[in-house]
Amino acid sequence: MKNNILVLGGKGKTGRRIVERLNKMGHNVRIGSRGEKPAFDWDKPAGWPAVLEGMESVYITYQPDLAVPGAKEAIEALTRIAKHQGVKKLVLLSGKGEVEAEACEQIIINCGLDYTIVRASWFSQNFSESFFLEPILHGHVALPQADVKVPYVDAEDIADVAVEALLEAKHNGQIYELTGSRMLTFREVTAEIASATGRTIEFTSITLPEYTEMLETHGVPDDYIWLINYLFVEVLANEKNQMVSHDIEKVLGRKAKDFSNYVTETTATGVWNQAIQV
């Protein structure tokens, strides 16, 4: 049976992977993005009813993060409009260990629609598709919280779980915490990528104020710097996040993709070979 599914952030790290999977399965997929018609923009709720019209299920990923000011109000408005438009099921991508994100989860849980909450640890793809890519290309990674261990989760695994949640009623009412199979420090991650690519990539441990100053020097917007600080202090340093879960195995019947497999696959794409000369 074909389902009408809206994927918000359908061109992002998890969203585009979900869209690919659902399209291959023959479902009717609508991408929620500013560049689509009808357009979806988190800052323009007047356009949301048109995007939600006719949709049975919605995958929700909020940009830039559920922890930022205004996210809670946006999720409240979205669920209200979704319910009015006849949506039956919501799948929310949330952040593991984020108190503010959990407040948004409660809105979804209590809105009266079927739901699944997908709480993800930090993505492996942050090193190839996001803010850690540039320092790797420069050959010098300088980060705070150098020795904190993170159970990085692969975006491919997140997409597989989200698709299952969107299509199968047995996942209704569930909260899944997604992590990789082992924990790694920034230093260990940098070393793995350097070894796989055959490049020299140095790692330097710095303080959070030093990192913030570096971001400011590079002209990074204040709201982004606020979010980075939040993630490093409230999420990365939270001991509750420094543990491996087995929910991927529970949902998919297989183990989570190991970080080394991610590194091998990503190295083959050549994305880390474009060394930037300083």
Side-chain angles (χ1 to χ4, degrees):
M1 187 178 78
K2 289 186 178 182
N3 294 299
N4 298 324
I5 303 172
L6 170 63
V7 179
L8 298 182
K11 295 180 178 179
K13 283 193 287 293
T14 60
R16 76 170 190 274
R17 290 172 165 89
I18 292 167
V19 169
E20 287 170 4
R21 285 159 171 74
L22 292 172
N23 279 333
K24 282 182 181 177
M25 297 167 80
H27 295 287
N28 300 315
V29 184
R30 178 177 292 168
I31 294 174
S33 172
R34 283 178 290 188
E36 297 293 312
K37 291 184 179 179
F40 182 88
D41 187 330
W42 279 109
D43 295 323
K44 298 178 180 178
W48 298 354
V51 182
L52 289 160
E53 186 177 359
M55 295 295 103
E56 296 162 296
S57 303
V58 183
Y59 174 74
I60 305 170
T61 176
Y62 183 81
Q63 296 298 323
D65 192 277
L66 288 173
V68 304
K72 185 178 176 182
E73 292 76 12
I75 296 298
E76 283 177 339
L78 182 75
T79 54
R80 186 170 59 250
I81 295 170
K83 198 169 181 180
H84 185 264
Q85 294 295 83
V87 171
K88 304 298 182 188
K89 173 79 180 274
L90 302 174
V91 174
L92 177 71
L93 178 65
S94 184
K96 189 171 178 289
E98 296 182 22
V99 174
E100 285 80 1
E102 289 177 16
C104 293
E105 293 174 10
Q106 287 302 313
I107 294 167
I108 299 292
I109 289 169
N110 295 307
C111 75
L113 300 178
D114 287 333
Y115 71 88
T116 305
I117 305 296
V118 178
R119 287 180 186 160
S121 183
W122 280 31
F123 296 6
S124 299
Q125 280 73 12
N126 286 342
F127 297 96
S128 54
E129 301 177 22
S130 194
F131 44 90
F132 296 140
L133 173 59
E134 187 174 348
I136 289 171
L137 297 182
H138 276 288
H140 186 191
V141 178
L143 291 170
Q145 304 282 18
D147 298 314
V148 169
K149 290 187 173 289
V150 180
Y152 293 100
V153 62
D154 198 283
E156 300 286 348
D157 284 346
I158 299 171
D160 284 342
V161 169
V163 167
E164 272 284 318
L166 285 163
L167 299 178
E168 301 294 335
K170 65 183 178 181
H171 301 295
N172 290 354
Q174 297 297 313
I175 298 176
Y176 295 124
E177 295 202 341
L178 309 188
T179 74
S181 57
R182 61 191 173 106
M183 298 191 289
L184 294 156
T185 65
F186 287 132
R187 198 185 306 275
E188 290 168 337
V189 165
T190 303
E192 277 212 32
I193 295 172
S195 176
T197 58
R199 293 182 51 214
T200 299
I201 307 174
E202 298 175 357
F203 181 86
T204 304
S205 175
I206 60 175
T207 66
L208 188 55
E210 287 172 331
Y211 187 54
T212 299
E213 185 178 349
M214 187 171 69
L215 294 176
E216 290 171 345
T217 301
H218 284 81
V220 175
D222 289 344
D223 56 349
Y224 183 82
I225 291 174
W226 177 90
L227 177 59
I228 290 294
N229 272 272
Y230 171 85
L231 293 174
F232 272 98
V233 174
E234 301 296 333
V235 181
L236 200 63
N238 186 339
E239 290 185 2
K240 292 180 181 178
N241 293 326
Q242 296 163 27
M243 60 180 65
V244 170
S245 90
H246 300 284
D247 283 356
I248 287 174
E249 193 169 350
K250 181 163 58 175
V251 175
L252 301 178
R254 61 166 176 80
K255 291 185 177 180
K257 183 189 286 190
D258 188 78
F259 190 83
S260 292
N261 292 338
Y262 154 75
V263 170
T264 299
E265 292 171 8
T266 305
T267 298
T269 70
V271 70
W272 287 324
N273 295 337
Q274 309 157 32
I276 297 173
Q277 301 302 320
V278 180

